[in-house]
Amino acid sequence: MSAHREVDEAEIKRLVETIVEGIRAKDLETLRRLYATDVVSFDVEPPLQHVGIEAKMANWRKAFTFFRDVDYELRDLTLTVGDDVAFGHAFGRLSGTLENGTATKGMWVRATFCFRKTDDHWVVAHDQVSVPFDVASGRAAADLEP
């Protein structure tokens, strides 16, 4: 890997770490800076897509309302980095203490990130979160672990 690619990969890893920290802090302003203004997000809850930074932030805001304290864990991040686009995938788990005081360990999901380099700075241009499901029953397989 070239030195330039190593620098870009390190920057993207820091960006992802900052996303994790922003989620744990429920810090919408930090998260806002990490996404493209035209981000398209395919999340686990309706609608099928959230388009634009305001829709992405509204989705995070809604998720944060359920938690008194929130944690986010990301495992097995793998990145492929080009000159001005990159992608990665990992397993993620949102957990914490709900507003009613109940602790939840959450469930593992599959996460895919697409990054775009604009003005020498990486941002998330697209993300997708999915839950495996049993085809026969149509039910989520929420008990799987990486």
Side-chain angles (χ1 to χ4, degrees):
M1 180 183 298
S2 72
H4 184 265
R5 288 273 199 290
E6 288 177 10
V7 169
D8 283 339
E9 183 171 326
E11 182 180 338
I12 292 168
K13 284 181 179 177
R14 281 192 302 277
L15 183 152
V16 172
E17 289 169 5
T18 305
I19 289 172
V20 171
E21 293 166 4
I23 293 168
R24 289 176 177 163
K26 300 196 289 188
D27 184 346
L28 292 172
E29 289 312 307
T30 291
L31 292 171
R32 177 184 297 277
R33 290 190 302 271
L34 305 173
Y35 291 89
T37 57
D38 60 347
V39 62
V40 175
S41 181
F42 296 168
D43 212 332
V44 293
E45 67 179 45
L48 287 175
Q49 65 180 356
H50 305 268
V51 178
I53 191 65
E54 294 309 323
K56 182 66 181 174
M57 292 302 102
N59 196 39
W60 276 124
R61 189 176 301 106
K62 181 180 177 184
F64 293 157
T65 64
F66 294 103
F67 290 92
R68 181 182 307 157
D69 299 301
V70 66
D71 192 16
Y72 189 71
E73 182 179 357
L74 199 66
R75 285 193 191 169
D76 303 333
L77 177 64
T78 301
L79 295 171
T80 300
V81 180
D83 290 336
D84 56 2
V85 294
F87 65 90
H89 54 83
F91 299 107
R93 177 171 62 175
L94 191 66
S95 62
T97 304
L98 300 176
E99 281 297 334
N100 67 9
T102 303
T104 177
K105 66 177 189 168
M107 67 177 171
W108 287 100
V109 296
R110 302 169 295 198
T112 303
F113 303 95
C114 301
F115 306 93
R116 180 174 64 226
K117 192 173 191 178
T118 306
D119 298 326
D120 217 30
H121 179 71
W122 291 96
V123 292
V124 178
H126 173 68
D127 63 7
Q128 178 168 340
V129 178
S130 65
V131 178
F133 77 102
D134 176 65
V135 177
S137 71
R139 294 178 189 230
D143 60 344
L144 300 176
E145 295 189 28

